[in-house]
Amino acid sequence: MTTEAAPPPGSTGTPPAGPTAEEFVSVQQSPEFAELRRSYRSFAFPLTVAFIAWYLLYVLLSNYAGGFMGTKLFGNINVALVLGLAQFATTFLIAWLYARHAAARLDPRAAAIKARMEGSE
């Protein structure tokens, strides 16, 4: 039993050649690609730094401010539990924001670059 399908009629059976290295370099140096990269970095880097700072604050408070973290807010719920759960909420919030940002700003630009690259074959 073979797992390869026969090539479509009229086809030589060889895959089309991809873009050349020069074409990739040309696209990488284009203003359109630079704008795509700038848009990604201007979103991802600040949020990454902010989240790492937020996470380190939580860790430092847990290690050095035990009294504050143990402060009961209501019932058996203390500051440490609330801040720990906020870490998860923040992670999901950032993922959701990134998905929105990518769909609105990154994906259309990347699709245009991809279409141009594939059209140049």
Side-chain angles (χ1 to χ4, degrees):
M1 179 173 163
T2 180
T3 58
E4 293 185 28
S11 166
T12 62
T14 59
T20 65
E22 291 79 20
E23 290 172 322
F24 277 109
V25 170
S26 170
V27 167
Q28 184 181 12
Q29 294 172 348
S30 72
E32 186 181 23
F33 187 79
E35 177 59 26
L36 174 64
R37 189 171 42 220
R38 186 204 62 75
S39 183
Y40 168 75
R41 288 179 177 171
S42 68
F43 182 87
F45 287 172
L47 272 180
T48 300
V49 169
F51 185 78
I52 290 172
W54 159 231
Y55 175 74
L56 290 176
L57 174 69
Y58 176 75
V59 170
L60 290 172
L61 287 173
S62 295
N63 283 322
Y64 300 110
F68 169 71
M69 295 295 271
T71 303
K72 291 197 183 252
L73 298 175
F74 48 90
N76 287 329
I77 308 298
N78 62 16
V79 172
L81 180 62
V82 171
L83 292 181
L85 292 174
Q87 291 284 318
F88 287 101
T90 305
T91 302
F92 289 114
L93 176 66
I94 290 172
W96 177 73
L97 288 172
Y98 178 77
R100 283 188 44 200
H101 174 75
R105 295 208 172 92
L106 303 178
D107 294 346
R109 290 177 182 156
I113 292 170
K114 179 182 176 193
R116 190 176 70 202
M117 287 292 289
E118 289 175 346
S120 69
E121 293 183 47

